[in-house]
Amino acid sequence: MDKVRIIEIRESVFADNDREADRIREGLKRDKTFLLNLMSSPGSGKTTLLMRTIEALKNEFDIGVMEADIDSSVDAEKIAKTGVRSIQLHTGGMCHLDAGMTEQGLKEIGASDLDLVILENIGNLICPADFDTGAVRNAMILSVPEGHDKPLKYPHIFTVCDVLIISKIDVMPYFDFDLEKVREYALMRNPKLEIFPVSARTGEGMGAWTEWLKTQVNEWNNGVKLLTE
Amino acid sequence: MDKVRIIEIRESVFADNDREADRIREGLKRDKTFLLNLMSSPGSGKTTLLMRTIEALKNEFDIGVMEADIDSSVDAEKIAKTGVRSIQLHTGGMCHLDAGMTEQGLKEIGASDLDLVILENIGNLICPADFDTGAVRNAMILSVPEGHDKPLKYPHIFTVCDVLIISKIDVMPYFDFDLEKVREYALMRNPKLEIFPVSARTGEGMGAWTEWLKTQVNEWNNGVKLLTE
């Protein structure tokens, strides 16, 4: 099994998380590094989707992955097998990452010489949505088995995300999941949300998602426009 | 659609949550009311499992269900259709329930004349595990699509639960899920955990789970022994 570095990160000491997050984004802009914050429930398929995304983009970009978990390093070990830089962040039981914790991870992974860093946030639809990590873009995954009513029950995360990836669409025949309803509910929360239904297993829909991400990274790193402004 | 009462509950004012939780349990013992705290990820099938559990036990017991959510009342509306007493608790964005919040719910539902009250906690594997709600027993659901590595990544919830229900076993052929591994990992966290693999859809395994719950409720309410002692 590949050995990965495990970093114990600590809750931020910064009183103003939003200002700290803005400061992180300024640094990323200077370093031409794009940070994606990927959020979801436990078991939505974040790591598998990430592995396929890395395969599609690793010839274009120098990529790093920060796996945040309460415990274990199973995800970082899987990611390490793809050949990209990977570290495991342990939050000491904390249910989310804030800007200061993210910054500790960025330093440890050496983000400044990477084009794209992906933060796999703690599996939780609630708390991570309350903290700006300093990411350039926020993405969330909702997997088919979780059901199409989630935008009704967990509204906030849908409002802070730029992208909704609907994962595991290959198992749609076995679940009572209505793709049109989830679109309707999600866009009700956030009309600007980009929505990509995908199956990391079959590859369906993965091209549209990775193309979107590629464009975002290039725009940010080449300074065509400062998208967060 | 059935109308359900929505209660806005507030974060507890009690400094010592554990003492407050013990006080709730003493009251439940006096009233011969069993409180089950049911926790899981979003979309693990808590509500569907609950509906089947109610069907199996509603002739034995007077049952009430408290559905806790950040927003919406879709779950409480589904439960109301089973004919049992049901209320929706809104936590105002909070990611868990503490003892004080649970107590507000128990008052609103009129728990003292019920035999069994089930609290469907917020969909979250992390924060709810940190707070004793005053329940007599804690149960958690892990659904097959979430994967068998969850006890490695979310250790704490497995240690505070008496029961692990492995749900959606009917879709096992479509997922890379190892039932023996999840047993091994879960028992490593908590050797006393009772484990019930079930499918609420096909009914498989539901009898063993509802029999266990029935025995627990009878023992608590008839005062055969004070199980938490």
Side-chain angles (χ1 to χ4, degrees):
Chain A
M1 201 173 271
D2 304 63
K3 283 273 171 282
V4 295
R5 235 167 10 116
I6 299 177
I7 320 291
E8 307 289 335
I9 51 176
R10 280 178 187 76
E11 197 174 356
S12 177
V13 295
F14 299 105
D16 188 340
N17 186 73
D18 287 350
R19 197 161 64 183
E20 178 63 11
D22 285 339
R23 217 180 49 71
I24 291 174
R25 262 186 299 273
E26 285 162 21
L28 292 167
K29 187 77 197 163
R30 263 195 313 275
D31 293 337
K32 297 184 186 296
T33 303
F34 184 96
L35 174 63
L36 181 77
N37 175 25
L38 186 59
M39 297 178 282
S40 81
S41 294
S44 66
K46 275 197 296 298
T47 311
T48 309
L49 182 109
L50 218 48
M51 289 172 72
R52 302 286 165 275
T53 305
I54 290 166
E55 278 165 25
L57 298 178
K58 72 179 179 183
N59 292 333
E60 307 264 351
F61 302 126
D62 285 325
I63 301 176
V65 174
M66 307 192 292
E67 288 287 340
D69 274 300
I70 306 281
D71 204 351
S72 98
S73 58
V74 288
D75 289 345
E77 284 160 12
K78 280 187 207 160
I79 295 294
K81 290 198 172 81
T82 65
V84 304
R85 208 181 292 175
S86 164
I87 60 172
Q88 179 78 47
L89 308 179
H90 279 177
T91 63
M94 286 281 291
C95 52
H96 66 271
L97 265 76
D98 59 22
M101 294 164 91
T102 306
E103 194 174 32
Q104 293 165 55
L106 290 168
K107 267 188 198 145
E108 293 287 346
I109 202 169
S112 58
D113 58 2
L114 293 169
D115 303 314
L116 166 61
V117 176
I118 302 173
L119 167 63
E120 196 184 309
N121 213 313
I122 298 286
N124 183 337
L125 285 190
I126 307 162
C127 319
D130 290 338
F131 293 86
D132 188 343
T133 57
V136 182
R137 287 287 177 269
N138 288 325
M140 68 174 287
I141 304 180
L142 177 69
S143 64
V144 162
E146 293 172 65
H148 53 248
D149 61 357
K150 292 300 159 292
L152 302 178
K153 294 161 90 174
Y154 302 90
H156 187 52
I157 193 165
F158 291 84
T159 67
V160 302
C161 280
D162 305 286
V163 174
L164 166 63
I165 299 165
I166 300 170
S167 69
K168 305 190 188 178
I169 58 169
D170 55 294
V171 296
M172 210 135 58
Y174 314 115
F175 290 91
D176 178 24
F177 185 90
D178 189 327
L179 197 55
E180 284 320 301
K181 271 207 181 125
V182 79
R183 268 187 210 278
E184 179 195 328
Y185 296 155
L187 292 171
M188 196 172 79
R189 295 298 184 194
N190 178 0
K192 289 184 182 169
L193 205 56
E194 299 263 3
I195 301 177
F196 297 105
V198 308
S199 165
R201 189 188 282 173
T202 67
E204 191 182 344
M206 286 296 294
W209 149 245
T210 54
E211 267 308 305
W212 179 89
L213 182 56
K214 187 174 140 182
T215 306
Q216 298 286 316
V217 175
N218 279 327
E219 284 187 351
W220 177 259
N221 293 358
N222 299 332
V224 174
K225 51 179 177 174
L226 191 54
L227 289 167
T228 54
E229 282 178 355
Chain B
M1 202 174 271
D2 303 65
K3 285 271 170 284
V4 294
R5 231 162 17 111
I6 298 177
I7 321 292
E8 307 289 336
I9 51 177
R10 277 175 192 80
E11 197 174 356
S12 177
V13 294
F14 299 104
D16 188 341
N17 186 73
D18 287 350
R19 196 160 67 181
E20 179 62 12
D22 285 338
R23 217 179 49 71
I24 291 174
R25 261 186 298 273
E26 285 162 22
L28 292 167
K29 188 75 199 164
R30 264 194 311 276
D31 293 338
K32 296 181 185 297
T33 303
F34 183 97
L35 174 62
L36 180 77
N37 175 26
L38 186 59
M39 299 179 280
S40 80
S41 294
S44 66
K46 275 196 296 296
T47 310
T48 309
L49 181 108
L50 218 47
M51 289 171 73
R52 300 289 164 271
T53 305
I54 290 166
E55 278 165 25
L57 298 179
K58 72 180 180 182
N59 293 333
E60 308 263 352
F61 302 126
D62 284 326
I63 301 175
V65 174
M66 308 194 290
E67 287 288 340
D69 274 300
I70 306 281
D71 204 352
S72 98
S73 58
V74 289
D75 288 345
E77 284 159 11
K78 279 186 208 158
I79 296 294
K81 289 197 173 82
T82 65
V84 303
R85 210 180 292 174
S86 165
I87 59 172
Q88 179 77 48
L89 308 179
H90 279 179
T91 62
M94 287 282 288
C95 51
H96 65 271
L97 265 77
D98 59 22
M101 295 162 91
T102 306
E103 192 174 34
Q104 293 166 54
L106 290 169
K107 266 187 199 147
E108 293 288 345
I109 203 170
S112 59
D113 58 2
L114 293 169
D115 304 311
L116 166 61
V117 177
I118 302 173
L119 167 63
E120 194 184 310
N121 213 314
I122 299 286
N124 183 337
L125 285 191
I126 307 163
C127 319
D130 289 338
F131 294 86
D132 188 343
T133 57
V136 182
R137 287 286 177 267
N138 289 324
M140 69 173 287
I141 304 179
L142 176 69
S143 64
V144 162
E146 293 170 65
H148 53 248
D149 60 358
K150 293 300 157 294
L152 302 179
K153 294 160 89 174
Y154 302 90
H156 188 53
I157 192 165
F158 291 85
T159 68
V160 301
C161 281
D162 305 286
V163 174
L164 165 63
I165 299 164
I166 300 171
S167 69
K168 305 190 188 180
I169 57 167
D170 55 295
V171 297
M172 209 134 60
Y174 314 116
F175 291 90
D176 178 23
F177 185 90
D178 188 327
L179 196 55
E180 285 320 300
K181 270 207 181 121
V182 81
R183 267 186 212 277
E184 177 196 330
Y185 296 155
L187 292 172
M188 197 172 78
R189 295 300 183 194
N190 178 0
K192 289 185 182 168
L193 206 56
E194 298 264 1
I195 302 177
F196 297 105
V198 308
S199 166
R201 191 189 278 171
T202 68
E204 192 183 343
M206 286 297 292
W209 150 245
T210 55
E211 268 308 304
W212 178 88
L213 182 57
K214 188 174 139 182
T215 305
Q216 297 287 315
V217 175
N218 279 328
E219 284 186 352
W220 177 259
N221 293 358
N222 299 332
V224 175
K225 50 180 179 176
L226 192 53
L227 289 166
T228 55
E229 282 178 349

